[in-house]
Amino acid sequence: MKNKRITALAYISYLSWTKVSNYLKLYLSFQWSRLIKKPILWGMPSTLSIEPTTSCNLRCPECPSGLRSFTRPTGMLEFSLFKKAIEQSKNHLTYLHLYFQGEPYLHPHFTEMVSYADKAGIFTATSTNAHFLTEENVDKTLASGLRQLIVSMDGITQDIYQDYRVGGKLLKVKEGLSLLLEKRRLSGLKFPRIILQFLVTGKNEHQIPALKDWSSSLGVDELQLKSIQVYNFEGGSPLIPKEEKYSRYVLEKNGKWKLKKRIENKCWRMWQGAVITWDGKMVPCCFDKDSSHVMGNLQEKPIQEIWNNVQYDKFRQQLLKDRSQIDICKNCTE
């Protein structure tokens, strides 16, 4: 609880009256839209995920970066494009996740981008597989102003870890994580807050008790147990956990699997924020990994114009009318 309070206080410290009022406008317009079944939008995106790169050193089986299966272009975010996104959104942005697909530390200017956003008054976070937490990168991370670092580690033994994080070295992850925590302690710093994220699968769920003991002894700030997204889940998969509380899916009487949560005709994400790919495409959310619903491109139009355009309005309208017809919503837990 103490660790979450520290993060919450840090988040609040980045807020301004403009950001708070914008958030309230978004929330009120979302609720009003649900009521009248028509998309109304009274604010600008409060959160953004910006993709530093699609490159990744691992080959995780349910990830387009890992599978090298993108149909969209792949590459690295230009710093100038990143600056454009920040300058256009800094007055209303409350949270920036410098991640979408790929491994952010593979971008040569990743920590510089974090620092730029932090100096612009934005709470920053990222996600990493922690293979690049070298001494140099740890020092840069601590100096960057990054407030939250999510470390993905889906097993506490090499054989289980590498079953999903194909090509990964668990020892390297543990060493990098330990180095970061130790340097943070010696520096007297509180940030970044370290979240250890464990993607629960049918192959690693038995390790959860030992994981809790290990993460506690190491001193991470928070442990998150996350349900795995399986693309073709209807026919089942060994990745689906046996323990139902960790699964997004349930088995029906006909032998088919379905989403545990019913898809409702609403989604706060479509009013709260958006995702920007490395090449400037603005897409609705993180479930659109292959950018099949491009609302516009930041290289051609400003964020405000894209956020309020006819295409986005039609997408939100379809969501309020029948969300089950939107492909990226069919595996969503929102």
Side-chain angles (χ1 to χ4, degrees):
M1 186 62 71
K2 177 185 176 183
N3 288 319
K4 289 186 177 181
R5 186 167 63 248
I6 291 172
T7 304
L9 289 172
Y11 177 80
I12 291 169
S13 71
Y14 284 87
L15 296 181
S16 64
W17 171 243
T18 301
K19 292 181 180 182
V20 172
S21 61
N22 177 72
Y23 186 91
L24 289 173
K25 287 175 184 177
L26 289 174
Y27 183 74
L28 290 172
S29 62
F30 169 63
Q31 296 298 347
W32 183 244
S33 299
R34 288 181 59 196
L35 185 64
I36 66 173
K37 303 297 182 184
K38 180 182 177 181
I40 304 295
L41 200 59
W42 291 331
M44 291 294 292
S46 180
T47 66
L48 281 179
S49 291
I50 300 181
E51 180 178 62
T53 180
T54 50
S55 301
C56 189
N57 55 307
L58 303 184
R59 291 185 173 270
C60 305
E62 292 292 324
C63 172
S65 284
L67 294 170
R68 295 4 180 211
S69 63
F70 288 116
T71 60
R72 65 180 171 100
T74 56
M76 295 267 182
L77 174 67
E78 291 285 343
F79 208 139
S80 58
L81 184 59
F82 174 74
K83 287 180 178 179
K84 181 187 288 189
I86 296 304
E87 291 307 312
Q88 290 181 14
S89 57
K90 64 182 181 182
N91 291 332
H92 49 78
L93 205 61
T94 64
Y95 180 91
L96 172 65
H97 194 196
L98 258 168
Y99 172 79
F100 178 29
Q101 295 295 293
E103 168 52 49
Y105 278 94
L106 286 173
H107 195 293
H109 303 295
F110 169 66
T111 52
E112 293 171 51
M113 290 192 290
V114 172
S115 182
Y116 188 88
D118 179 68
K119 289 173 182 175
I122 303 167
F123 183 100
T124 53
T126 194
S127 300
T128 179
N129 61 44
H131 279 70
F132 300 96
L133 292 180
T134 60
E135 188 151 354
E136 180 183 5
N137 279 339
V138 165
D139 289 340
K140 287 181 177 179
T141 299
L142 291 172
S144 69
L146 184 70
R147 287 302 182 249
Q148 195 173 71
L149 181 67
I150 301 168
V151 175
S152 298
M153 196 188 92
D154 313 319
I156 59 168
T157 57
Q158 177 62 27
D159 60 329
I160 298 297
Y161 175 79
Q162 70 184 7
D163 186 78
Y164 186 77
R165 299 283 166 181
V166 179
K169 303 295 182 185
L170 181 60
L171 181 60
K172 201 168 187 178
V173 174
K174 290 181 174 180
E175 287 176 345
L177 191 52
S178 297
L179 177 66
L180 176 57
L181 286 164
E182 179 64 9
K183 284 211 164 198
R184 190 186 72 175
R185 183 185 67 81
L186 292 174
S187 302
L189 299 173
K190 293 181 179 180
F191 302 99
R193 307 308 288 172
I194 309 300
I195 297 175
L196 186 64
Q197 191 174 84
F198 192 83
L199 199 60
V200 181
T201 73
K203 299 181 178 183
N204 67 14
E205 59 187 324
H206 65 284
Q207 292 192 333
I208 291 174
L211 169 74
K212 290 179 178 179
D213 291 338
W214 181 81
S215 62
S216 178
S217 65
L218 187 64
V220 298
D221 301 305
E222 186 180 344
L223 173 64
Q224 288 183 354
L225 301 176
K226 186 180 179 183
S227 63
I228 189 170
Q229 175 188 354
V230 179
Y231 280 100
N232 299 306
F233 60 84
E234 293 87 353
S237 166
L239 292 174
I240 297 176
K242 298 176 182 65
E243 189 72 44
E244 190 176 313
K245 68 179 179 180
Y246 298 127
S247 176
R248 296 187 187 194
Y249 316 100
V250 291
L251 186 62
E252 297 186 279
K253 291 181 180 179
N254 63 4
K256 296 287 186 180
W257 291 81
K258 69 172 185 177
L259 271 178
K260 187 190 298 183
K261 289 185 178 180
R262 183 171 62 88
I263 296 178
E264 298 183 59
N265 295 330
K266 64 174 184 175
C267 183
W268 167 230
R269 292 186 188 191
M270 292 306 100
W271 274 256
Q272 181 190 32
V275 174
I276 297 175
T277 63
W278 71 272
D279 53 350
K281 294 185 181 75
M282 195 162 166
V283 299
C285 77
C286 61
F287 278 87
D288 193 6
K289 293 178 172 60
D290 213 19
S291 300
S292 56
H293 298 276
V294 179
M295 299 299 153
N297 196 309
L298 187 58
Q299 298 191 70
E300 301 165 358
K301 303 285 184 181
I303 289 175
Q304 183 173 4
E305 189 172 332
I306 299 170
W307 183 244
N308 291 285
N309 70 17
V310 174
Q311 192 171 346
Y312 231 137
D313 187 69
K314 287 181 178 178
F315 188 88
R316 295 186 182 101
Q317 180 65 68
Q318 178 61 48
L319 186 148
L320 293 169
K321 181 181 178 182
D322 186 2
R323 187 172 161 221
S324 66
Q325 298 304 305
I326 302 175
D327 56 339
I328 60 172
C329 296
K330 292 180 179 179
N331 210 342
C332 179
T333 55
E334 175 71 19

